[in-house]
Amino acid sequence: MTTDIAKYRFNHTMYRVKDPKASLHFYTEVLGMKLLEEHHMDEAKFSLYFVGYEDPQSKGLKRLERQGLLELTHNHGTENDPACAYNTGNGENGGYGHIAITVDDLDAACERFDKLGVKFIKRPTEGRMRHIAFIADPDGYRVEILKNSAV
Amino acid sequence: MTTDIAKYRFNHTMYRVKDPKASLHFYTEVLGMKLLEEHHMDEAKFSLYFVGYEDPQSKGLKRLERQGLLELTHNHGTENDPACAYNTGNGENGGYGHIAITVDDLDAACERFDKLGVKFIKRPTEGRMRHIAFIADPDGYRVEILKNSAV
């Protein structure tokens, strides 16, 4: 028995997605994460997709040794269900807010998102906070884009 | 202008908390994270608390260079507002699910949580998945506790 809490790790954040094709396109092609693992539970009718960045710090680490991953849960059939629209957490009584991605060059990142047709919730030029943008993923989950040289 | 998406990082996950004292106790004393930064926006009436693990990989990195942090947002006054109870994402149409913490010894971790009076949503002995537990944070957000040697 060991309870070395200093060795605990924040491995992943999970949310549900309606259409994994759209979400995987967004998180890999648009945001540059890698698809690290996928698990298909055909009997229980759901699939899990683990995505994350191949940062130098995590090189050689197994999935469960890493930090900063995203687990996308797909309940089979939601992609064809017009009634499926997830509460993405920022409405009334909403508790969940967003994930944040840090980037070297915020303007370049936003220019690229525009070219890719990404939906903006807040551009750097809007509001008071000029060092951040908010974009929406295919389900509407907020993704903060944050200049890594910001204070 | 540089758009090197390979250098993007998944810096943090944000959710709102009703009472920062209760939440900071949970994330630091119970789960073993460190309080890395706090920012108090008195005029806008909110505070941000960044917590995360001091893993060997992130040693020496600045907050914005790291991965796997948690940003707890406190809107001032919610701690004294009986009507404030956040939707933690797992009810009807709930999209947000949980964060996951990996541990070396799941049984030892759960025994310690019991001693600390932590609320369990699922013990390792319940259900089919014996390598995971789910506990609740002070707002009811789910935290998966996951054996890091699991498949």
Side-chain angles (χ1 to χ4, degrees):
Chain A
M1 298 276 281
T2 167
T3 52
D4 188 357
I5 63 173
K7 290 173 72 180
Y8 286 14
R9 295 289 170 265
F10 178 5
N11 180 249
H12 69 255
T13 297
M14 184 284 265
Y15 41 74
R16 299 169 186 88
V17 298
K18 179 184 172 80
D19 181 349
K21 275 189 196 165
S23 296
L24 288 174
H25 172 80
F26 180 82
Y27 287 99
T28 62
E29 300 301 318
V30 178
L31 286 185
M33 294 184 182
K34 303 290 176 197
L35 175 60
L36 302 172
E37 284 185 25
E38 52 187 294
H39 300 273
H40 302 282
M41 272 59 114
D42 290 333
E43 203 182 319
K45 294 181 181 169
F46 70 94
S47 296
L48 305 176
Y49 300 87
F50 290 91
V51 293
Y53 290 105
E54 297 284 7
D55 66 315
Q57 284 78 36
S58 61
K59 209 172 181 178
L61 294 181
K62 293 175 192 168
R63 174 172 66 86
L64 289 168
E65 295 169 336
R66 294 186 53 170
Q67 298 210 108
L69 302 183
L70 186 61
E71 177 186 24
L72 303 171
T73 297
H74 172 229
N75 291 307
H76 296 171
T78 53
E79 69 277 24
N80 299 316
D81 177 5
C84 174
Y86 287 122
N87 178 338
T88 56
N90 290 290
E92 202 179 347
N93 299 324
Y96 173 73
H98 60 258
I99 65 168
I101 308 297
T102 47
V103 304
D104 285 348
D105 187 328
L106 182 62
D107 290 333
C110 290
E111 194 177 303
R112 183 172 161 273
F113 294 145
D114 263 331
K115 280 182 192 154
L116 291 167
V118 170
K119 185 184 167 191
F120 276 81
I121 295 166
K122 176 212 168 312
R123 292 176 184 274
T125 48
E126 295 169 335
R128 285 192 302 179
M129 293 183 291
R130 299 303 164 104
H131 61 293
I132 62 171
F134 275 96
I135 59 175
D137 95 341
D139 285 283
Y141 291 107
R142 291 187 189 176
V143 178
E144 179 182 355
I145 308 296
L146 176 59
K147 205 168 168 175
N148 61 17
S149 59
V151 180
Chain B
M1 297 277 283
T2 165
T3 52
D4 188 356
I5 63 173
K7 291 174 72 181
Y8 285 14
R9 296 290 170 262
F10 178 6
N11 180 250
H12 68 254
T13 297
M14 184 285 264
Y15 41 75
R16 299 169 186 87
V17 299
K18 178 185 173 80
D19 181 349
K21 277 189 193 165
S23 296
L24 288 173
H25 172 80
F26 181 83
Y27 287 100
T28 62
E29 299 301 318
V30 177
L31 286 185
M33 293 182 181
K34 304 290 178 200
L35 175 60
L36 303 172
E37 284 185 24
E38 52 187 293
H39 300 273
H40 301 283
M41 271 61 113
D42 291 333
E43 201 183 320
K45 295 183 181 169
F46 70 94
S47 295
L48 306 176
Y49 300 88
F50 289 92
V51 294
Y53 291 105
E54 296 284 8
D55 67 315
Q57 284 79 35
S58 60
K59 209 171 181 178
L61 294 182
K62 294 176 193 168
R63 174 172 67 82
L64 289 168
E65 294 169 337
R66 293 185 53 169
Q67 298 210 107
L69 302 182
L70 186 60
E71 177 186 24
L72 304 172
T73 296
H74 172 229
N75 291 308
H76 296 172
T78 54
E79 69 278 23
N80 299 316
D81 178 3
C84 173
Y86 286 121
N87 178 339
T88 56
N90 288 290
E92 201 177 348
N93 299 325
Y96 174 71
H98 60 258
I99 64 167
I101 308 297
T102 48
V103 304
D104 284 349
D105 188 327
L106 182 62
D107 291 332
C110 290
E111 195 176 302
R112 182 172 162 275
F113 293 145
D114 263 329
K115 282 182 190 154
L116 292 167
V118 170
K119 185 183 166 194
F120 277 81
I121 295 165
K122 176 211 168 311
R123 290 176 185 277
T125 49
E126 294 169 336
R128 286 192 302 180
M129 293 182 293
R130 299 301 163 107
H131 62 290
I132 63 171
F134 275 96
I135 59 177
D137 96 341
D139 285 284
Y141 291 107
R142 292 188 188 176
V143 178
E144 178 181 356
I145 308 296
L146 175 61
K147 204 169 168 174
N148 60 18
S149 58
V151 179

